[in-house]
PDB file of all heavy atoms in Angstrom:
ATOM      1  N   ILE A   4     108.480 256.528  55.363  1.00 93.00           N
ATOM      2  CA  ILE A   4     107.583 255.700  54.563  1.00 93.00           C
ATOM      3  C   ILE A   4     106.815 254.733  55.464  1.00 93.00           C
ATOM      4  O   ILE A   4     105.603 254.520  55.310  1.00 93.00           O
ATOM      5  CB  ILE A   4     108.364 254.900  53.501  1.00 93.00           C
ATOM      6  CG1 ILE A   4     109.082 255.841  52.512  1.00 93.00           C
ATOM      7  CG2 ILE A   4     107.434 253.935  52.762  1.00 93.00           C
ATOM      8  CD1 ILE A   4     108.181 256.667  51.655  1.00 93.00           C
ATOM      9  N   VAL A   5     107.516 254.124  56.441  1.00 92.00           N
ATOM     10  CA  VAL A   5     106.870 253.191  57.361  1.00 92.00           C
ATOM     11  C   VAL A   5     105.807 253.916  58.195  1.00 92.00           C
ATOM     12  O   VAL A   5     104.736 253.363  58.474  1.00 92.00           O
ATOM     13  CB  VAL A   5     107.919 252.508  58.262  1.00 92.00           C
ATOM     14  CG1 VAL A   5     107.247 251.686  59.350  1.00 92.00           C
ATOM     15  CG2 VAL A   5     108.823 251.614  57.421  1.00 92.00           C
ATOM     16  N   LEU A   6     106.095 255.163  58.593  1.00 91.00           N
ATOM     17  CA  LEU A   6     105.089 255.959  59.292  1.00 91.00           C
ATOM     18  C   LEU A   6     103.863 256.183  58.402  1.00 91.00           C
ATOM     19  O   LEU A   6     102.722 256.089  58.861  1.00 91.00           O
ATOM     20  CB  LEU A   6     105.664 257.299  59.728  1.00 91.00           C
ATOM     21  CG  LEU A   6     106.447 257.347  61.033  1.00 91.00           C
ATOM     22  CD1 LEU A   6     107.057 258.729  61.241  1.00 91.00           C
ATOM     23  CD2 LEU A   6     105.563 256.994  62.215  1.00 91.00           C
ATOM     24  N   ALA A   7     104.109 256.490  57.129  1.00 92.00           N
ATOM     25  CA  ALA A   7     103.000 256.681  56.194  1.00 92.00           C
ATOM     26  C   ALA A   7     102.177 255.399  56.071  1.00 92.00           C
ATOM     27  O   ALA A   7     100.937 255.431  56.051  1.00 92.00           O
ATOM     28  CB  ALA A   7     103.536 257.105  54.824  1.00 92.00           C
ATOM     29  N   LEU A   8     102.844 254.247  56.024  1.00 92.00           N
ATOM     30  CA  LEU A   8     102.136 252.968  55.961  1.00 92.00           C
ATOM     31  C   LEU A   8     101.304 252.729  57.220  1.00 92.00           C
ATOM     32  O   LEU A   8     100.170 252.246  57.155  1.00 92.00           O
ATOM     33  CB  LEU A   8     103.138 251.819  55.788  1.00 92.00           C
ATOM     34  CG  LEU A   8     103.601 251.493  54.363  1.00 92.00           C
ATOM     35  CD1 LEU A   8     104.811 250.564  54.394  1.00 92.00           C
ATOM     36  CD2 LEU A   8     102.461 250.852  53.570  1.00 92.00           C
ATOM     37  N   ALA A   9     101.875 253.091  58.386  1.00 92.00           N
ATOM     38  CA  ALA A   9     101.168 252.859  59.646  1.00 92.00           C
ATOM     39  C   ALA A   9      99.910 253.710  59.748  1.00 92.00           C
ATOM     40  O   ALA A   9      98.900 253.270  60.301  1.00 92.00           O
ATOM     41  CB  ALA A   9     102.097 253.153  60.824  1.00 92.00           C
ATOM     42  N   PHE A  10      99.961 254.935  59.203  1.00 91.00           N
ATOM     43  CA  PHE A  10      98.836 255.864  59.344  1.00 91.00           C
ATOM     44  C   PHE A  10      97.941 255.920  58.101  1.00 91.00           C
ATOM     45  O   PHE A  10      96.952 256.650  58.106  1.00 91.00           O
ATOM     46  CB  PHE A  10      99.353 257.271  59.633  1.00 91.00           C
ATOM     47  CG  PHE A  10      99.796 257.482  61.056  1.00 91.00           C
ATOM     48  CD1 PHE A  10     101.109 257.278  61.428  1.00 91.00           C
ATOM     49  CD2 PHE A  10      98.894 257.890  62.034  1.00 91.00           C
ATOM     50  CE1 PHE A  10     101.527 257.477  62.744  1.00 91.00           C
ATOM     51  CE2 PHE A  10      99.295 258.098  63.341  1.00 91.00           C
ATOM     52  CZ  PHE A  10     100.613 257.883  63.707  1.00 91.00           C
ATOM     53  N   CYS A  11      98.246 255.158  57.050  1.00 91.00           N
ATOM     54  CA  CYS A  11      97.563 255.360  55.765  1.00 91.00           C
ATOM     55  C   CYS A  11      96.070 255.036  55.816  1.00 91.00           C
ATOM     56  O   CYS A  11      95.300 255.558  55.008  1.00 91.00           O
ATOM     57  CB  CYS A  11      98.254 254.572  54.653  1.00 91.00           C
ATOM     58  SG  CYS A  11      98.142 252.785  54.802  1.00 91.00           S
ATOM     59  N   CYS A  12      95.648 254.185  56.740  1.00 92.00           N
ATOM     60  CA  CYS A  12      94.223 253.834  56.833  1.00 92.00           C
ATOM     61  C   CYS A  12      93.570 254.425  58.071  1.00 92.00           C
ATOM     62  O   CYS A  12      92.518 253.939  58.519  1.00 92.00           O
ATOM     63  CB  CYS A  12      94.054 252.316  56.805  1.00 92.00           C
ATOM     64  SG  CYS A  12      94.600 251.557  55.261  1.00 92.00           S
ATOM     65  N   GLU A  13      94.178 255.468  58.624  1.00 90.00           N
ATOM     66  CA  GLU A  13      93.634 256.179  59.789  1.00 90.00           C
ATOM     67  C   GLU A  13      93.337 255.235  60.959  1.00 90.00           C
ATOM     68  O   GLU A  13      92.206 255.155  61.449  1.00 90.00           O
ATOM     69  CB  GLU A  13      92.351 256.945  59.404  1.00 90.00           C
ATOM     70  CG  GLU A  13      92.519 257.908  58.251  1.00 90.00           C
ATOM     71  CD  GLU A  13      93.397 259.112  58.630  1.00 90.00           C
ATOM     72  OE1 GLU A  13      93.527 259.404  59.833  1.00 90.00           O
ATOM     73  OE2 GLU A  13      93.957 259.745  57.711  1.00 90.00           O
ATOM     74  N   PRO A  14      94.349 254.485  61.438  1.00 93.00           N
ATOM     75  CA  PRO A  14      94.114 253.567  62.555  1.00 93.00           C
ATOM     76  C   PRO A  14      93.820 254.321  63.846  1.00 93.00           C
ATOM     77  O   PRO A  14      94.187 255.489  63.997  1.00 93.00           O
ATOM     78  CB  PRO A  14      95.430 252.794  62.653  1.00 93.00           C
ATOM     79  CG  PRO A  14      96.452 253.767  62.154  1.00 93.00           C
ATOM     80  CD  PRO A  14      95.770 254.523  61.046  1.00 93.00           C
ATOM     81  N   ARG A  15      93.179 253.663  64.782  1.00 94.00           N
ATOM     82  CA  ARG A  15      92.892 254.265  66.085  1.00 94.00           C
ATOM     83  C   ARG A  15      94.082 254.162  67.015  1.00 94.00           C
ATOM     84  O   ARG A  15      94.252 254.984  67.913  1.00 94.00           O
ATOM     85  CB  ARG A  15      91.676 253.576  66.724  1.00 94.00           C
ATOM     86  CG  ARG A  15      90.420 253.633  65.890  1.00 94.00           C
ATOM     87  CD  ARG A  15      89.997 255.073  65.625  1.00 94.00           C
ATOM     88  NE  ARG A  15      89.458 255.719  66.810  1.00 94.00           N
ATOM     89  CZ  ARG A  15      89.737 256.975  67.193  1.00 94.00           C
ATOM     90  NH1 ARG A  15      90.599 257.702  66.508  1.00 94.00           N
ATOM     91  NH2 ARG A  15      89.183 257.494  68.253  1.00 94.00           N
ATOM     92  N   VAL A  16      94.922 253.122  66.827  1.00 95.00           N
ATOM     93  CA  VAL A  16      96.083 252.881  67.690  1.00 95.00           C
ATOM     94  C   VAL A  16      97.283 252.560  66.818  1.00 95.00           C
ATOM     95  O   VAL A  16      97.150 251.870  65.801  1.00 95.00           O
ATOM     96  CB  VAL A  16      95.819 251.708  68.665  1.00 95.00           C
ATOM     97  CG1 VAL A  16      97.076 251.381  69.476  1.00 95.00           C
ATOM     98  CG2 VAL A  16      94.660 252.020  69.601  1.00 95.00           C
ATOM     99  N   VAL A  17      98.457 253.067  67.209  1.00 95.00           N
ATOM    100  CA  VAL A  17      99.710 252.717  66.530  1.00 95.00           C
ATOM    101  C   VAL A  17     100.701 252.215  67.572  1.00 95.00           C
ATOM    102  O   VAL A  17     100.915 252.862  68.601  1.00 95.00           O
ATOM    103  CB  VAL A  17     100.306 253.915  65.760  1.00 95.00           C
ATOM    104  CG1 VAL A  17     101.741 253.620  65.320  1.00 95.00           C
ATOM    105  CG2 VAL A  17      99.451 254.248  64.545  1.00 95.00           C
ATOM    106  N   ILE A  18     101.300 251.057  67.307  1.00 95.00           N
ATOM    107  CA  ILE A  18     102.364 250.508  68.150  1.00 95.00           C
ATOM    108  C   ILE A  18     103.687 250.838  67.456  1.00 95.00           C
ATOM    109  O   ILE A  18     103.947 250.354  66.352  1.00 95.00           O
ATOM    110  CB  ILE A  18     102.233 248.988  68.324  1.00 95.00           C
ATOM    111  CG1 ILE A  18     100.815 248.600  68.761  1.00 95.00           C
ATOM    112  CG2 ILE A  18     103.284 248.475  69.307  1.00 95.00           C
ATOM    113  CD1 ILE A  18     100.392 249.122  70.107  1.00 95.00           C
ATOM    114  N   ALA A  19     104.504 251.672  68.086  1.00 93.00           N
ATOM    115  CA  ALA A  19     105.790 252.079  67.512  1.00 93.00           C
ATOM    116  C   ALA A  19     106.905 251.456  68.354  1.00 93.00           C
ATOM    117  O   ALA A  19     107.143 251.865  69.488  1.00 93.00           O
ATOM    118  CB  ALA A  19     105.907 253.594  67.499  1.00 93.00           C
ATOM    119  N   ASP A  20     107.576 250.449  67.804  1.00 92.00           N
ATOM    120  CA  ASP A  20     108.585 249.690  68.544  1.00 92.00           C
ATOM    121  C   ASP A  20     109.981 250.149  68.141  1.00 92.00           C
ATOM    122  O   ASP A  20     110.470 249.814  67.070  1.00 92.00           O
ATOM    123  CB  ASP A  20     108.400 248.192  68.263  1.00 92.00           C
ATOM    124  CG  ASP A  20     109.247 247.317  69.177  1.00 92.00           C
ATOM    125  OD1 ASP A  20     110.079 247.860  69.933  1.00 92.00           O
ATOM    126  OD2 ASP A  20     109.083 246.092  69.138  1.00 92.00           O
ATOM    127  N   GLU A  21     110.606 250.934  69.016  1.00 89.00           N
ATOM    128  CA  GLU A  21     111.958 251.463  68.781  1.00 89.00           C
ATOM    129  C   GLU A  21     112.072 252.113  67.395  1.00 89.00           C
ATOM    130  O   GLU A  21     112.961 251.766  66.610  1.00 89.00           O
ATOM    131  CB  GLU A  21     112.999 250.338  68.910  1.00 89.00           C
ATOM    132  CG  GLU A  21     113.011 249.627  70.254  1.00 89.00           C
ATOM    133  CD  GLU A  21     113.820 250.364  71.319  1.00 89.00           C
ATOM    134  OE1 GLU A  21     114.238 251.503  71.065  1.00 89.00           O
ATOM    135  OE2 GLU A  21     114.007 249.803  72.406  1.00 89.00           O
ATOM    136  N   PRO A  22     111.209 253.063  67.055  1.00 86.00           N
ATOM    137  CA  PRO A  22     111.188 253.586  65.683  1.00 86.00           C
ATOM    138  C   PRO A  22     112.371 254.466  65.324  1.00 86.00           C
ATOM    139  O   PRO A  22     112.551 254.783  64.149  1.00 86.00           O
ATOM    140  CB  PRO A  22     109.885 254.397  65.650  1.00 86.00           C
ATOM    141  CG  PRO A  22     109.695 254.848  67.066  1.00 86.00           C
ATOM    142  CD  PRO A  22     110.187 253.707  67.907  1.00 86.00           C
ATOM    143  N   THR A  23     113.181 254.877  66.304  1.00 81.00           N
ATOM    144  CA  THR A  23     114.279 255.804  66.001  1.00 81.00           C
ATOM    145  C   THR A  23     115.661 255.234  66.298  1.00 81.00           C
ATOM    146  O   THR A  23     116.663 255.918  66.120  1.00 81.00           O
ATOM    147  CB  THR A  23     114.124 257.105  66.820  1.00 81.00           C
ATOM    148  OG1 THR A  23     114.197 256.794  68.227  1.00 81.00           O
ATOM    149  CG2 THR A  23     112.797 257.783  66.532  1.00 81.00           C
ATOM    150  N   THR A  24     115.738 253.972  66.713  1.00 77.00           N
ATOM    151  CA  THR A  24     117.013 253.414  67.180  1.00 77.00           C
ATOM    152  C   THR A  24     118.088 253.429  66.107  1.00 77.00           C
ATOM    153  O   THR A  24     119.254 253.713  66.386  1.00 77.00           O
ATOM    154  CB  THR A  24     116.804 251.969  67.686  1.00 77.00           C
ATOM    155  OG1 THR A  24     115.901 252.006  68.790  1.00 77.00           O
ATOM    156  CG2 THR A  24     118.107 251.340  68.128  1.00 77.00           C
ATOM    157  N   ALA A  25     117.737 253.123  64.872  1.00 69.00           N
ATOM    158  CA  ALA A  25     118.737 252.998  63.811  1.00 69.00           C
ATOM    159  C   ALA A  25     119.046 254.329  63.116  1.00 69.00           C
ATOM    160  O   ALA A  25     119.788 254.349  62.131  1.00 69.00           O
ATOM    161  CB  ALA A  25     118.256 251.984  62.774  1.00 69.00           C
ATOM    162  N   LEU A  26     118.508 255.441  63.638  1.00 76.00           N
ATOM    163  CA  LEU A  26     118.657 256.728  62.977  1.00 76.00           C
ATOM    164  C   LEU A  26     119.615 257.631  63.737  1.00 76.00           C
ATOM    165  O   LEU A  26     119.771 257.506  64.959  1.00 76.00           O
ATOM    166  CB  LEU A  26     117.289 257.414  62.868  1.00 76.00           C
ATOM    167  CG  LEU A  26     116.166 256.588  62.234  1.00 76.00           C
ATOM    168  CD1 LEU A  26     114.861 257.359  62.295  1.00 76.00           C
ATOM    169  CD2 LEU A  26     116.519 256.224  60.798  1.00 76.00           C
ATOM    170  N   ASP A  27     120.257 258.566  63.013  1.00 79.00           N
ATOM    171  CA  ASP A  27     121.114 259.517  63.723  1.00 79.00           C
ATOM    172  C   ASP A  27     120.254 260.537  64.470  1.00 79.00           C
ATOM    173  O   ASP A  27     119.037 260.624  64.262  1.00 79.00           O
ATOM    174  CB  ASP A  27     122.102 260.206  62.768  1.00 79.00           C
ATOM    175  CG  ASP A  27     121.420 261.055  61.709  1.00 79.00           C
ATOM    176  OD1 ASP A  27     120.541 261.869  62.075  1.00 79.00           O
ATOM    177  OD2 ASP A  27     121.763 260.924  60.524  1.00 79.00           O
ATOM    178  N   VAL A  28     120.897 261.311  65.343  1.00 80.00           N
ATOM    179  CA  VAL A  28     120.157 262.131  66.300  1.00 80.00           C
ATOM    180  C   VAL A  28     119.248 263.144  65.616  1.00 80.00           C
ATOM    181  O   VAL A  28     118.093 263.326  66.024  1.00 80.00           O
ATOM    182  CB  VAL A  28     121.143 262.850  67.248  1.00 80.00           C
ATOM    183  CG1 VAL A  28     120.392 263.802  68.172  1.00 80.00           C
ATOM    184  CG2 VAL A  28     121.915 261.838  68.076  1.00 80.00           C
ATOM    185  N   SER A  29     119.732 263.801  64.574  1.00 78.00           N
ATOM    186  CA  SER A  29     118.921 264.833  63.916  1.00 78.00           C
ATOM    187  C   SER A  29     117.695 264.222  63.247  1.00 78.00           C
ATOM    188  O   SER A  29     116.589 264.772  63.308  1.00 78.00           O
ATOM    189  CB  SER A  29     119.760 265.608  62.892  1.00 78.00           C
ATOM    190  OG  SER A  29     120.241 264.735  61.885  1.00 78.00           O
ATOM    191  N   VAL A  30     117.863 263.049  62.620  1.00 80.00           N
ATOM    192  CA  VAL A  30     116.739 262.385  61.969  1.00 80.00           C
ATOM    193  C   VAL A  30     115.782 261.829  63.020  1.00 80.00           C
ATOM    194  O   VAL A  30     114.558 261.839  62.836  1.00 80.00           O
ATOM    195  CB  VAL A  30     117.240 261.269  61.023  1.00 80.00           C
ATOM    196  CG1 VAL A  30     116.070 260.544  60.382  1.00 80.00           C
ATOM    197  CG2 VAL A  30     118.149 261.856  59.955  1.00 80.00           C
ATOM    198  N   GLN A  31     116.322 261.344  64.158  1.00 83.00           N
ATOM    199  CA  GLN A  31     115.475 260.897  65.260  1.00 83.00           C
ATOM    200  C   GLN A  31     114.492 261.984  65.663  1.00 83.00           C
ATOM    201  O   GLN A  31     113.292 261.737  65.828  1.00 83.00           O
ATOM    202  CB  GLN A  31     116.330 260.537  66.479  1.00 83.00           C
ATOM    203  CG  GLN A  31     116.919 259.155  66.466  1.00 83.00           C
ATOM    204  CD  GLN A  31     117.587 258.825  67.794  1.00 83.00           C
ATOM    205  OE1 GLN A  31     117.335 259.475  68.799  1.00 83.00           O
ATOM    206  NE2 GLN A  31     118.443 257.827  67.790  1.00 83.00           N
ATOM    207  N   ALA A  32     115.009 263.186  65.854  1.00 85.00           N
ATOM    208  CA  ALA A  32     114.160 264.302  66.285  1.00 85.00           C
ATOM    209  C   ALA A  32     113.066 264.584  65.265  1.00 85.00           C
ATOM    210  O   ALA A  32     111.913 264.844  65.625  1.00 85.00           O
ATOM    211  CB  ALA A  32     115.018 265.544  66.519  1.00 85.00           C
ATOM    212  N   GLN A  33     113.403 264.509  63.980  1.00 85.00           N
ATOM    213  CA  GLN A  33     112.414 264.762  62.936  1.00 85.00           C
ATOM    214  C   GLN A  33     111.321 263.692  62.947  1.00 85.00           C
ATOM    215  O   GLN A  33     110.130 264.007  62.826  1.00 85.00           O
ATOM    216  CB  GLN A  33     113.109 264.785  61.568  1.00 85.00           C
ATOM    217  CG  GLN A  33     114.075 265.953  61.386  1.00 85.00           C
ATOM    218  CD  GLN A  33     114.931 265.796  60.134  1.00 85.00           C
ATOM    219  OE1 GLN A  33     114.632 264.972  59.271  1.00 85.00           O
ATOM    220  NE2 GLN A  33     116.002 266.563  60.046  1.00 85.00           N
ATOM    221  N   VAL A  34     111.729 262.424  63.107  1.00 85.00           N
ATOM    222  CA  VAL A  34     110.752 261.333  63.109  1.00 85.00           C
ATOM    223  C   VAL A  34     109.846 261.428  64.331  1.00 85.00           C
ATOM    224  O   VAL A  34     108.630 261.216  64.243  1.00 85.00           O
ATOM    225  CB  VAL A  34     111.477 259.968  63.044  1.00 85.00           C
ATOM    226  CG1 VAL A  34     110.501 258.818  63.297  1.00 85.00           C
ATOM    227  CG2 VAL A  34     112.144 259.788  61.686  1.00 85.00           C
ATOM    228  N   ILE A  35     110.412 261.771  65.498  1.00 88.00           N
ATOM    229  CA  ILE A  35     109.607 261.907  66.714  1.00 88.00           C
ATOM    230  C   ILE A  35     108.613 263.059  66.569  1.00 88.00           C
ATOM    231  O   ILE A  35     107.435 262.937  66.937  1.00 88.00           O
ATOM    232  CB  ILE A  35     110.512 262.122  67.943  1.00 88.00           C
ATOM    233  CG1 ILE A  35     111.220 260.810  68.301  1.00 88.00           C
ATOM    234  CG2 ILE A  35     109.716 262.618  69.140  1.00 88.00           C
ATOM    235  CD1 ILE A  35     110.294 259.681  68.689  1.00 88.00           C
ATOM    236  N   ASP A  36     109.063 264.190  66.044  1.00 88.00           N
ATOM    237  CA  ASP A  36     108.154 265.322  65.812  1.00 88.00           C
ATOM    238  C   ASP A  36     107.024 264.929  64.875  1.00 88.00           C
ATOM    239  O   ASP A  36     105.864 265.307  65.083  1.00 88.00           O
ATOM    240  CB  ASP A  36     108.932 266.513  65.233  1.00 88.00           C
ATOM    241  CG  ASP A  36     109.778 267.224  66.282  1.00 88.00           C
ATOM    242  OD1 ASP A  36     109.551 266.988  67.489  1.00 88.00           O
ATOM    243  OD2 ASP A  36     110.665 267.999  65.900  1.00 88.00           O
TER     244      ASP A  36
END
């Protein structure tokens, strides 16, 4: 959902600060992809 919020207005730049730290490994891979 946070990714959708970050991209919802088609920004030119996105700052992603530790976006996968709180997630388990399988979900991390999905979010990174």
